[in-house]
Each structure stands twice: as C-alpha cells, then as structure tokens.
Amino acid sequence: RRCMGEAEMLGSGMSKKACKQACSKSEKCNFANLKDDQCMSLRTCDEMSDDPGCVTFYKTEIPSENPTLAPTMTIAGMEVYKVNMKCATGQPIFGNLGEDISPTRCQKICLETPNCSFAFYNDVRQCTSFETCDDVRQRRESIVWKKSAATTTTAPTMAPAEATVQVHQYAMNKKCLGEAEDVWSGSSKKACREECIQHENCNFANYEDGTCESFLTCDNLAADPGGLVLAKMEVPVVNPTLAPTASIPGMEVYKVNMKCATEPNFGDLGDGLSAQECQESCSSSSKCNFAFYDKGGRCTSFETCDQVRERRNTIVWRKIAVTTVAPTTAAPTTEAPTSAAPAEGTIQVHQYKDGKACVGKPEEVWSGISRNACKQKCLDAAGCKYANYDDSRCESFQSCDEVENSHDGVILYKTFVPASNPTLEPTASVPGMEVFEVNMKCATGQPNFGDLGSRISAEECQEKCLASAACKFAFYDSDGQCTSFKTCDSVRQRRATIVWQKVAAKSPPATTTAEPKESHSSMQLVSTNMVCADMMQKGMKPKWGNLGKGISEETCKASCMDMPGCNFAFLDHGVDCTSFETCEYQRDREGAVIWQKVASDSPSSGGRGGHQK
C-alpha cells in the first residue's frame, strides 16, 4: 500500500531502517513510502492505493508517562512477579483498580487494597487486582507486581532453591531510547540474547536487522516497526523437572530433561498450553510423532527424535498406538446392565463450537481450571450437557439453545458414543460423492477439524463438501464432526469413521453447474508485507492459522471463500492462513499477503484495508 499525495525524496538506496530514521529526523515527514530502495516523505496520508512491494511508515510519539512496562518500575512494598504474563486464576473484574492510570498509581492502589495481593497492568493502562496468581498466561506488554512481605531477619520461606538468568521478548515493534552500552552487528536474535546474558551492563536489548544494542535501563520506548526489545530477568526454578507421569492415552513419556536434536519450528503446536493440551495437539497432528514441552507451556512437534540433547525443565512424549481390547465372547451375566455399561458405549465431552459461548445462567461455575479439567467437571456433573470454557473459567449448562460470539471461548458438549456400531454405514452416499475409506482417517496435510460442521448428519457433511471448492475428501466421525481434506494419499486407522471422495457426477442434470460459488465472488490482492491489525487494536488475539497451516496461496484463498465471516485472508510467509472479518488497520509483516473477498460482478475497490499501524 502507498500513501497518495505530494511527496519529497528523503533518499535512495535506503533500507527500511534508514528510511525510518530519515523520516524521524525530518520535521516535514509524518509518513514515508519505501519502494525499490527509494524513501519518499509525506505530511499526510488521507488516501492510500495498492502498490505491491511498497511499504508505508508513520511517525508517532509515545507519551513519557507510561513509555514501557519496564520491570524496574516498582515502588516500596511491591516487587515484579511476571513480565508479559497475566494471572489466570479467579474471576477478576478487569480494571477494578483503575482505568487509564500510571504504573506507579496502579501499585499504590493495590498496596491500599486489602484483598489485592497481585496487581496486573497492561499496555492500555488498565489496573486489575488478584488475590492469587498461581497460574499465568502469556499477555504481551503487560506486567504483574506482587505485594511483598515485610522485611524480616530470617530468610523468606518461599525462596526458590535456585534461579536462572534468562532473556525474554519484552516488546514488539518498539525500541529502547538512549545511548547503547554495546553494539553487536551481524547477530541473530538468539546470539543477541546470549550476548545480553553474558554482559553485566545489559538489562535490555534492541534487536533489528541483525544489529543488537544493549542498555542498562529502558525507561523510554519509541515505535519501531520491525524492531524487538528483549529484557533480562531472573527466573526461579521451583520445579526443575516436569512430572513424567502426566500422559494421555496414545502418548507415553519418551525423555525427561531432554529435547529432540533436529531443527524444529518451536511452538508450532501452541504457547501457554498445559501438558495435557500439548499431548492432545500432537495426538491430532498427522506430522507429530514426538511432542516436546517446556515449563513455559511451549509445545513443539517432531517427526523423529533419534538424537536428543540435555535441556532442563522439559519433557518429550512419544505417540504410540492405542491398545484396544477385543470384545469378550463370554455370555452376559444375569444382572441387568446399567445405562453406562462400557460394553454399550461411553459418555464423552467434545468440542462443539469454537469462538462461541452458550447464553444464559450457568448451573455451576468452576474457576482456575484447565480445559481438560472443565471436560471432566462436565462429565461428573449430572446437570451439565454443555459447558463454556474461556480463560480458565468453566460454566455448565443444561441446554444451549442460544449462542453468542466469544473470541477466545469454546463450547463443549456431553454426548453418548455407542460402542455397538463400530463403523458408519458405508452406503450412505449422496450424488457426487462416493465412499473412499471406512474406519480410516486421512493423514495428509494439517486439517482444521470440524471446518465443515459439527454435530451434523452424514448427508449434510457430504453436501457441505460438494459446496466447497477446496474440499475433495470429506472425513466424518461418530460425533457428527465433518472435516474437509484436499488430498487423502495416506490414511490411518480410526474407528467409527468414514471418508467420502468427491467424484464427477455420472449423469449430471442439465440444470446444475459445478462450483456455483465460483461465479459470485473472488479473492483480490489488497496488500503485501502487511497484516490486518483491527483485532490487535482492540486488544484481541486473532486465531492464527484458523484457515490452515502449511498451505498454498490458492488453498488459503479458497478456504476464505468457503468460510462465512471471512472477508480477508492473510497468509504469513506462505505458512499460516488466517481469516479476518475486517482489515481497516494494517501493520508491517515481512513476507505476508492479504486478499479481500469481493463480488465478481462489482467494481474493484482495492479492499477495505486502510490505516497502517
């Protein structure tokens, strides 16, 4: 995207960093276009146009009252507890200690509030109290202070046995202001962290374009698209190992305090997960044979793990075949079978709707629990047929006739899975579909399970696949979950399932045309090297990769075409494809592409993408 209007040349042969620096020094420059190494300055940017390869910057001021959430900004009686984290316990009233207040004021109010033991403060200047903070979750640009105990002559009883000095990500698209203590060039992000750990005069570090700068303090931050601020901190080692017994069916402990030595995509299965959620993510991924998990909740998949290296506070699980017990042939006893007899089936809790919540008054509420614990609570509670789960809070419901949007929430439902019919009827095919496999599932790609629907009939599953240009195979299970696959070259055993394949109709009616949706809408390129930032502007986190991971541009666009509510498709480095409903604001993201869904019979508008942030 390019700012339209009268522009002045700031220089040629410029890198992104040089263009930004030139604009920051020029009083006339409020916006800058960079294309083909030419940097152009503009005073205003009221209108933008498509210009592939062009990057637009804007100048902004960061108020000095709250320039950063620096871990050194503490007052007497308070101490830093967590950085870039939020408490995940209790039922907080966010902002109950104050809105739009300074970090110092937030800590003072917590000190004066008897039931405030922890103060959570974020980048929108919101201050929230917590009585406990045993569990935490990642939250960028935030800080948690802990009310410190009175000074005594004895050593504190809760002191950790040991601690490690670590350097973590502190702020993205920002930089510390001031004169750097040291500068290292040609450095990777990992090398920058290691240099900061080894140097006493480094508490913060700026990293951008291979350059690492160290600082003792970082009291003032400035916007710097593409920049990254790192912070050094002491991390207590309370539990040097992760419990090797926390395994779910289908997974077993492989190594403790070790990591697989092959080069992975760290965190590809998720960040901030529980041990059970990490194993579940690996179990549902066809490419994951080993799951590596660290104490920070980062979960990483490996296809092989023949060689390992020492890594403290970690665990590796291995995917194994689930042993199934053959049904006995013994004659039934004279006792009447109970309604929950294992021979007849099992009651299970499964995901029903993602990004939604049941509306109404819950039967019971449980706080500070994991998603797996929420499932178990619903299983144990007779009055629970549905459950809302969001941010460590679980609510049970008898019915769920009405739902509402909940960006990070999920609805779970309790269902009886019969064991008496281990297969699905393989003859229930609709015209245009035919049975491909029974009691098998496709083991190709990285599917978005349930993308065609949940709790639908076999006929509806096939019809949804027929209506989707990206669906060539439909996978259906006994829970009524329907999933699309583009290919199904390899399969794995999965009981009570069926796969249909889309085929050309043998006698197509004259009135029908293939792929009717194709003629009504299309995907149009909006921006390159940008990401939609509307949700981030509102403090919400997009569901990255919800349209697919490791897919092509064409598949990404087709997935958006088929998803209601997807008006923009964002593909990051040709890997993760994400849907957005709006794209009014955009931010820099190297190697990214944004397309907009437009009606083919309407004039091209260039998209709704607007403001660069």
Side-chain angles (χ1 to χ4, degrees):
R1 303 279 286 170
R2 165 184 291 276
C3 289
M4 304 295 290
E6 186 177 348
E8 295 182 8
M9 174 73 79
L10 285 178
S12 59
M14 283 191 168
S15 64
K16 281 187 179 182
K17 187 173 183 178
C19 182
K20 287 187 285 187
Q21 290 175 343
C23 183
S24 65
K25 294 176 182 178
S26 172
E27 294 182 358
K28 298 181 179 180
C29 179
N30 293 321
F31 297 86
N33 294 330
L34 178 66
K35 184 177 181 182
D36 298 331
D37 300 331
Q38 288 191 334
C39 184
M40 306 294 292
S41 163
L42 300 94
R43 284 187 177 273
T44 62
C45 186
D46 298 327
E47 184 180 355
M48 296 187 76
S49 66
D50 288 337
D51 190 355
C54 181
V55 180
T56 305
F57 306 106
Y58 74 101
K59 185 189 292 183
T60 186
E61 290 187 3
I62 304 296
S64 58
E65 184 183 2
N66 178 26
T68 176
L69 302 176
T72 54
M73 295 169 56
T74 53
I75 65 173
M78 300 294 288
E79 63 184 12
V80 174
Y81 182 65
K82 296 287 181 182
V83 178
N84 289 330
M85 294 284 184
K86 72 172 182 178
C87 301
T89 52
Q91 301 178 36
I93 302 173
F94 285 101
N96 67 327
L97 296 185
E99 303 271 0
D100 196 26
I101 63 176
S102 69
T104 303
R105 179 66 179 154
C106 177
Q107 296 172 75
K108 286 181 178 178
I109 296 175
C110 182
L111 277 176
E112 296 165 359
T113 304
N115 62 349
C116 177
S117 301
F118 298 84
F120 166 70
Y121 186 78
N122 57 26
D123 54 343
V124 296
R125 298 164 56 84
Q126 187 184 60
C127 184
T128 305
S129 70
F130 286 82
E131 290 191 43
T132 61
C133 195
D134 301 325
D135 295 325
V136 293
R137 286 188 176 183
Q138 282 190 328
R139 170 65 155 79
R140 287 180 181 173
E141 301 192 39
S142 64
I143 189 169
V144 179
W145 292 284
K146 177 183 178 181
K147 194 179 285 184
S148 57
T151 306
T152 61
T153 55
T154 58
T157 57
M158 294 300 292
E162 54 181 313
T164 59
V165 176
Q166 299 178 10
V167 172
H168 292 279
Q169 180 174 309
Y170 181 54
M172 289 187 67
N173 296 317
K174 291 193 170 117
K175 66 178 179 181
C176 296
L177 295 178
E179 185 175 351
E181 299 290 327
D182 289 293
V183 178
W184 303 285
S185 300
S187 172
S188 65
K189 187 162 70 173
K190 182 178 180 181
C192 182
R193 293 184 183 197
E194 292 173 350
E195 290 286 359
C196 189
I197 287 176
Q198 295 171 7
H199 288 75
E200 292 184 358
N201 59 353
C202 178
N203 292 323
F204 296 86
N206 290 340
Y207 180 77
E208 184 177 8
D209 295 337
T211 299
C212 182
E213 303 173 333
S214 72
F215 297 83
L216 279 171
T217 61
C218 187
D219 297 328
N220 294 289
L221 279 173
D224 184 22
L228 178 67
V229 179
L230 307 172
K232 182 192 289 184
M233 63 188 74
E234 254 192 12
V235 178
V237 180
V238 180
N239 178 21
T241 64
L242 291 168
T245 55
S247 300
I248 66 171
M251 303 293 290
E252 69 176 6
V253 174
Y254 181 64
K255 298 288 181 182
V256 178
N257 289 328
M258 293 285 182
K259 72 169 184 178
C260 303
T262 51
E263 195 63 32
N265 177 19
F266 279 109
D268 63 332
L269 294 180
D271 282 312
L273 303 182
S274 68
Q276 287 76 21
E277 288 170 333
C278 177
Q279 296 173 74
E280 288 173 350
S281 295
C282 180
S283 182
S284 63
S285 171
S286 60
K287 293 186 177 180
C288 178
N289 296 320
F290 297 85
F292 168 72
Y293 183 74
D294 61 30
K295 68 171 187 175
R298 185 171 62 172
C299 183
T300 304
S301 70
F302 288 83
E303 289 194 39
T304 61
C305 194
D306 301 326
Q307 295 181 333
V308 293
R309 292 179 183 171
E310 192 172 351
R311 177 74 178 272
R312 296 187 66 189
N313 309 321
T314 61
I315 189 169
V316 179
W317 292 282
R318 175 172 58 183
K319 187 183 288 184
I320 58 174
V322 179
T323 305
T324 57
V325 180
T328 61
T329 57
T333 64
T334 55
E335 296 179 5
T338 62
S339 59
E344 296 183 359
T346 58
I347 296 176
Q348 301 176 10
V349 174
H350 293 282
Q351 179 172 317
Y352 175 43
K353 290 182 183 292
D354 193 22
K356 302 286 184 182
C358 297
V359 176
K361 183 179 179 181
E363 300 290 324
E364 292 186 79
V365 177
W366 304 280
S367 300
I369 64 175
S370 68
R371 180 165 162 175
N372 277 344
C374 180
K375 289 183 178 181
Q376 190 60 49
K377 289 285 188 183
C378 189
L379 276 175
D380 297 339
C384 179
K385 302 298 182 185
Y386 296 85
N388 289 343
Y389 183 77
D390 188 6
D391 200 15
S392 302
R393 178 183 170 91
C394 181
E395 302 173 335
S396 75
F397 295 83
Q398 285 269 16
S399 61
C400 189
D401 300 325
E402 184 182 352
V403 298
E404 62 183 3
N405 291 330
S406 174
H407 287 285
D408 295 322
V410 64
I411 301 176
L412 309 171
Y413 76 100
K414 185 190 291 184
T415 183
F416 179 76
V417 180
S420 57
N421 180 22
T423 64
L424 289 169
E425 177 56 53
T427 57
S429 301
V430 302
M433 302 293 289
E434 68 177 12
V435 174
F436 183 68
E437 293 284 356
V438 178
N439 290 330
M440 293 285 183
K441 73 171 184 178
C442 300
T444 53
Q446 296 183 6
N448 178 17
F449 283 102
D451 61 335
L452 294 182
S454 296
R455 303 189 72 185
I456 62 177
S457 68
E459 290 76 16
E460 289 173 325
C461 177
Q462 298 171 73
E463 287 167 358
K464 286 181 177 289
C465 181
L466 281 172
S468 170
C471 178
K472 305 301 180 187
F473 297 84
F475 167 71
Y476 184 74
D477 63 25
S478 58
D479 293 330
Q481 188 183 60
C482 183
T483 304
S484 69
F485 285 83
K486 191 174 182 181
T487 61
C488 195
D489 300 326
S490 60
V491 293
R492 289 187 179 177
Q493 279 192 327
R494 176 75 179 272
R495 293 187 66 192
T497 61
I498 189 170
V499 178
W500 293 282
Q501 180 182 12
K502 188 185 289 183
V503 294
K506 295 179 181 179
S507 301
T511 55
T512 25
T513 56
E515 313 294 349
K517 289 189 176 181
E518 294 283 333
S519 61
H520 294 294
S521 60
S522 62
M523 300 300 292
Q524 183 181 84
L525 180 67
V526 173
S527 301
T528 58
N529 298 320
M530 305 291 280
V531 59
C532 298
D534 292 21
M535 294 183 69
M536 292 177 274
Q537 285 281 108
K538 300 174 184 177
M540 296 184 291
K541 183 180 178 182
K543 295 186 181 298
W544 300 115
N546 68 329
L547 292 180
K549 296 178 180 288
I551 61 178
S552 66
E553 290 189 1
E554 293 305 315
T555 304
C556 178
K557 290 188 283 186
S559 297
C560 181
M561 292 271 290
D562 295 329
M563 174 181 280
C566 177
N567 296 320
F568 294 84
F570 165 73
L571 185 63
D572 190 8
H573 289 82
V575 177
D576 290 350
C577 181
T578 305
S579 71
F580 288 89
E581 188 174 353
T582 62
C583 196
E584 297 289 342
Y585 294 90
Q586 299 177 10
R587 293 181 184 174
D588 289 335
R589 181 69 65 90
E590 282 290 331
V593 186
I594 302 173
W595 298 279
Q596 181 185 8
K597 186 191 294 183
V598 296
S600 58
D601 55 352
S602 64
S604 174
S605 61
R608 287 186 290 170
H611 311 288
Q612 165 127 11
K613 292 293 177 185

